[in-house]
Amino acid sequence: MSVKFILGRGGSGKSTYMLDKIKERVQDNETSPVILLVPEQYTFEMEKRMSKLFIGEQKDKYLRSRVLSFKTMSEIVFSNVGGLTDVNINSSGKAMITYRAIESASNELEIFSKSASQPGFVNSISEVISEMKQYNISYERLETLAQEVDNETLKLKLKDLSKIYKQFEEKLHENYIDFQDMLNSLAEKIDSCDYFKDSYIYIDEFTGFTPNQYRVLRTIFNKAKEVNISLTVDNPGLITYSKSDAFSRTKFTYAKIVKMCNEEGIKLLPSIDLNKEVLPRFENSKELQHLERYYNSYPYKVYEEKTKTYI
């Protein structure tokens, strides 16, 4: 069990590094899975890039490599330990259930009673509920928070939201689950799944994780033989969290993962720093090199040369 960070600014070659390591890894005689874990929206692109790795003489002879998101990971886990019978609802169905929830709670609403019929209100409430579920905030917790708030308007808004949220959960779980329920179930069941035992995990394109995703990662860190995580960071020697820092989100993620590894007794291997004076993505454009390096700097630095590239 070990974790290694691959650190670098955008365009430094983190994804290419990960793919090269995957190609190298599958050449040995082991049969354990080699997983590239990315956000859902990156799976198609990474599958294309992964397939191009083995066009030449080097092949994935045991078909070990695989691109997964948390969604497809849950399908593997549920097929092994149960849970595939739960029907995952899409965004349109979720909006319909949110509308029904608002309608059911309409007579009890105080602040949102007039807003309920306005365009966009259903989508806004649906997004708020999704975010609440991402961070494990239940409607009971909202009710408790409402009692602790001094601002009367905010208190009434929290109470209204709690009533809608309660109706939403009751109606949703009559026949369906949503993505956040699926993640919660994944976090609970992945420990019973042997698919990821002694696997090699490469995690790319994430800036942060939700609490349920961290729960999944904690289990994976304990099951996998080796985990590599790429994070977009400018200065690996100075990992401090500051809201004014453009890389603050990933530095916060870095600190949280390091803390998790220390808690679980997982070995942290020396990080790989891919930062260079000239990053591979911008090596053919001095203007983009300057923009990338000084975009968030203060005081700003003017590009003195005559521009040849137009953005």
Side-chain angles (χ1 to χ4, degrees):
M1 298 182 296
S2 63
V3 171
K4 181 192 291 183
F5 289 99
I6 316 301
L7 306 175
R9 305 195 306 276
S12 59
K14 297 184 295 298
S15 295
T16 301
Y17 177 90
M18 300 280 253
L19 289 168
D20 289 343
K21 288 298 179 183
I22 289 172
K23 184 177 181 180
E24 183 182 313
R25 172 57 61 192
V26 298
Q27 301 310 310
D28 59 34
N29 290 319
E30 293 187 45
T31 57
S32 52
V34 179
I35 304 297
L36 177 59
L37 179 64
V38 295
E40 182 72 26
Q41 65 269 26
Y42 288 101
T43 52
F44 180 67
E45 177 63 27
M46 283 303 184
E47 283 170 352
K48 287 199 301 181
R49 293 183 66 178
M50 180 95 75
S51 65
K52 291 176 182 178
L53 291 177
F54 308 109
I55 292 177
E57 294 181 1
Q58 291 182 313
K59 304 293 184 184
D60 183 2
K61 50 189 174 182
Y62 297 119
L63 300 178
R64 297 166 61 197
S65 60
R66 189 167 183 177
V67 178
L68 295 180
S69 63
F70 280 103
K71 182 178 179 181
T72 48
M73 179 183 286
S74 68
E75 291 170 1
I76 292 173
V77 172
F78 296 159
S79 65
N80 277 269
V81 302
L84 280 175
T85 54
D86 296 328
V87 181
N88 189 18
I89 197 167
N90 60 24
S91 57
S92 299
K94 195 170 178 181
M96 292 173 68
I97 290 178
T98 304
Y99 177 81
R100 287 179 57 204
I102 294 169
E103 202 172 45
S104 297
S106 59
N107 292 332
E108 302 176 42
L109 302 181
E110 298 184 61
I111 295 290
F112 293 148
S113 57
K114 294 180 180 178
S115 306
S117 59
Q118 293 181 357
F121 182 74
V122 170
N123 285 335
S124 296
I125 292 295
S126 182
E127 289 171 5
V128 169
I129 290 174
S130 293
E131 193 160 349
M132 294 289 179
K133 295 184 75 169
Q134 277 182 19
Y135 291 92
N136 293 331
I137 299 173
S138 63
Y139 61 83
E140 294 97 339
R141 176 62 178 151
L142 277 184
E143 288 177 3
T144 304
L145 287 172
Q147 302 302 323
E148 298 172 358
V149 171
D150 293 328
N151 186 296
E152 191 63 28
T153 303
L154 178 57
K155 179 182 290 189
L156 292 174
K157 284 183 177 180
L158 289 174
K159 285 183 176 180
D160 281 3
L161 184 57
S162 174
K163 291 168 185 174
I164 297 171
Y165 189 179
K166 181 180 180 181
Q167 289 292 329
F168 174 86
E169 287 289 271
E170 289 176 355
K171 295 182 184 304
L172 174 69
H173 293 140
E174 287 173 2
N175 298 297
Y176 307 101
I177 62 169
D178 63 6
F179 179 67
Q180 303 309 324
D181 293 322
M182 184 187 68
L183 266 182
N184 188 46
S185 183
L186 172 62
E188 291 171 354
K189 294 182 177 182
I190 192 170
D191 192 42
S192 304
C193 179
D194 291 331
Y195 179 82
F196 300 99
K197 187 178 180 181
D198 294 328
S199 59
Y200 295 88
I201 309 290
Y202 297 81
I203 303 173
D204 195 24
E205 301 290 359
F206 286 94
T207 56
F209 303 94
T210 65
N212 279 331
Q213 288 173 340
Y214 276 117
R215 286 174 62 197
V216 173
L217 290 181
R218 187 182 292 268
T219 304
I220 285 177
F221 288 177
N222 282 288
K223 281 181 170 288
K225 186 176 289 186
E226 181 181 298
V227 178
N228 294 269
I229 307 172
S230 75
L231 290 174
T232 305
V233 172
D234 57 343
N235 186 358
L238 186 64
I239 306 291
T240 55
Y241 179 70
S242 170
K243 289 184 178 180
S244 61
D245 186 352
F247 300 94
S248 61
R249 177 82 185 275
T250 46
K251 288 180 179 179
F252 177 78
T253 302
Y254 173 91
K256 194 156 186 175
I257 292 174
V258 168
K259 181 182 178 183
M260 184 192 300
C261 291
N262 291 333
E263 290 172 351
E264 296 295 320
I266 296 167
K267 184 179 180 182
L268 281 167
L269 299 177
S271 300
I272 302 296
D273 181 12
L274 297 180
N275 285 311
K276 300 176 183 177
E277 185 67 25
V278 177
L279 299 180
R281 183 180 295 171
F282 310 113
E283 59 188 1
N284 296 321
S285 172
K286 289 184 178 180
E287 295 90 338
L288 288 176
Q289 290 173 29
H290 178 89
L291 184 63
E292 187 276 332
R293 179 166 287 279
Y294 299 108
Y295 177 76
N296 201 52
S297 64
Y298 182 83
Y300 62 84
K301 185 172 181 179
V302 177
Y303 184 72
E304 302 290 352
E305 299 180 34
K306 186 176 180 179
T307 56
K308 297 177 182 179
T309 303
Y310 296 94
I311 303 170

